[in-house]
Amino acid sequence: MPKVTIFLTSYNHEKYLRDSIESVLNQTYTDFELIILDDASTDSSWQIINTFDDPRIKAFRNEKNKRGDFSAFVN
């Protein structure tokens, strides 16, 4: 189990998402998991998230926009 969990939430953030994910993955500290929660983005955010193949990433997506409610994934 990783020592650190990083939560990254997204809704239509395709412009910044790739840089945000790469910033986390490029840290010198590596004992972490990155949980990405997409709130049913209508842009290419979900596709961008899925281009990353890193075992530290766990990505989840709301099928409908719930205005940031990710309780189904974190409970």
Side-chain angles (χ1 to χ4, degrees):
M1 179 169 203
K3 287 189 176 184
V4 175
T5 298
I6 301 161
F7 285 98
L8 176 63
T9 60
S10 176
Y11 176 71
N12 290 343
H13 290 129
E14 68 182 359
K15 183 176 178 181
Y16 308 103
L17 195 54
R18 185 172 304 282
D19 286 342
S20 297
I21 295 170
E22 288 176 352
S23 175
V24 172
L25 296 177
N26 289 328
Q27 297 297 310
T28 56
Y29 185 80
T30 59
D31 190 11
F32 66 84
E33 64 181 345
L34 172 59
I35 297 177
I36 305 173
L37 306 169
D38 181 74
D39 200 9
S41 294
T42 57
D43 63 3
S44 65
S45 293
W46 186 241
Q47 290 80 8
I48 292 169
I49 292 166
N50 284 299
T51 64
F52 289 88
D53 184 26
D54 190 300
R56 297 172 293 182
I57 296 176
K58 295 181 178 106
F60 302 93
R61 184 171 198 254
N62 283 336
E63 292 194 20
K64 292 173 60 177
N65 184 278
K66 296 182 180 180
R67 303 196 187 296
D69 179 6
F70 294 102
S71 56
F73 300 113
V74 294
N75 286 330

